[in-house]
Amino acid sequence: MNDTLKNLKMRDWTETKAHSSWQIFKIMAEFVEGFEALAKIGPCISIFGSARTRSGNPYYELACEIARRLAEDGFGIISGGGPGIMEAANKGAQLANGTSVGLNIELPHEQYANPFLDRDKSLNFDYFFVRKVMFTKYSQGFVMMPGGFGTMDEFFEVATLIQTKKMTETPLVLVGSEYWGGLLDWIDTVMMKKESNIHPEDLNLLKVFDTADEVVDYFREFYASNKLRPNF
């Protein structure tokens, strides 16, 4: 590498370091805003799923029904604040006159605030990792509807936090046995039995249901004998 190129690269790297130092303050501000807002809301359930699932799709309607029923039981509903399953979850919360929270994030496409959010409970984030902490710290349960990479990211994030006891054991529900069946079969046959990368009891952290009745009954049963509290 010649001296000119070295100097250019070093200058670019120095500027990047300076930018990173100031970035810390923005990250801190997002954490503070999120903690202050969500701590006041009370017990909530986070519902995840595809932004591409439209009204009329069976999973959209099921997400709306699950959210409505959970809101009627006194839980606030947290979604990613965007369209699709997120919209269905917030719609269900508002149908029950419940708390409807949206943790939105700026993305190149697909993400915009849905119309069913409580105005004072719609937060915007620049950083995925801050947003994920907000989803997990105060949620008293997680409902994973069918979704894409983002849903899978949240699913494995939550499963890992519970498995490693970095958060208290919290209901983790997968809705749609047909959708999740192939992944769960692979986890069982390859991840666990063939490669021994997880223990059999780790699979017990996951519950798979197909109806709103099953989901709501499970949450009622779980919290009949467990406290409602922040996860960490």
Side-chain angles (χ1 to χ4, degrees):
M1 188 182 296
N2 63 45
D3 289 342
T4 301
L5 185 56
K6 277 185 180 179
N7 290 335
L8 284 172
K9 287 186 174 295
M10 184 54 65
R11 188 186 67 187
D12 290 343
W13 186 252
T14 302
E15 290 175 354
T16 298
K17 287 169 61 180
H19 172 73
S20 296
S21 297
W22 283 105
Q23 200 173 28
I24 291 171
F25 294 102
K26 182 170 177 54
I27 292 168
M28 289 174 59
E30 287 199 358
F31 272 121
V32 171
E33 181 184 7
F35 285 154
E36 288 185 345
L38 292 173
K40 298 173 184 176
I41 293 173
C44 292
I45 304 293
S46 287
I47 299 180
F48 301 95
S50 176
R52 305 183 186 192
T53 305
R54 299 296 178 231
S55 178
N57 180 290
Y59 287 125
Y60 181 104
E61 303 306 327
L62 181 55
C64 185
E65 177 67 8
I66 289 170
R68 182 184 67 80
R69 297 274 301 277
L70 290 172
E72 287 175 346
D73 276 5
F75 289 104
I77 301 298
I78 299 176
S79 86
I85 294 294
M86 296 175 280
E87 175 186 291
N90 293 123
K91 180 179 179 180
Q94 288 203 344
L95 287 174
N97 294 316
T99 300
S100 181
V101 184
L103 307 183
N104 221 311
I105 191 164
E106 287 191 24
L107 297 176
H109 53 81
E110 291 181 346
Q111 188 75 7
Y112 54 85
N114 72 64
F116 301 103
L117 300 171
D118 294 346
R119 286 189 177 182
D120 62 334
K121 298 177 182 67
S122 178
L123 304 178
N124 291 296
F125 296 88
D126 283 330
Y127 300 101
F128 265 116
F129 64 91
V130 178
R131 183 176 179 244
K132 287 166 71 174
V133 171
M134 298 306 126
F135 274 124
T136 54
K137 182 172 177 62
Y138 297 106
S139 292
Q140 302 301 288
F142 302 90
V143 177
M144 304 291 174
M145 301 297 298
F149 286 169
T151 303
M152 297 297 162
D153 177 42
E154 297 292 353
F155 163 52
F156 283 110
E157 173 87 8
V158 173
T160 301
L161 289 171
I162 299 173
Q163 179 206 41
T164 57
K165 303 189 185 304
K166 289 298 184 180
M167 61 185 284
T168 55
E169 186 169 344
T170 307
L172 175 54
V173 172
L174 307 176
V175 178
S177 56
E178 181 181 2
Y179 186 86
W180 294 100
L183 175 61
L184 295 175
D185 286 343
W186 177 83
I187 290 174
D188 178 48
T189 59
V190 179
M191 184 185 288
M192 185 178 71
K193 291 176 180 174
K194 181 180 179 182
E195 301 295 340
S196 300
N197 288 330
I198 61 171
H199 294 296
E201 57 265 29
D202 293 332
L203 285 178
N204 295 332
L205 301 175
L206 315 176
K207 303 296 179 183
V208 185
F209 299 124
D210 287 300
T211 69
D213 284 341
E214 291 173 311
V215 174
V216 174
D217 288 347
Y218 174 59
F219 277 104
R220 288 174 178 171
E221 180 182 348
F222 185 90
Y223 282 111
S225 56
N226 290 277
K227 293 181 179 180
L228 294 163
R229 59 189 177 187
N231 294 317
F232 50 84

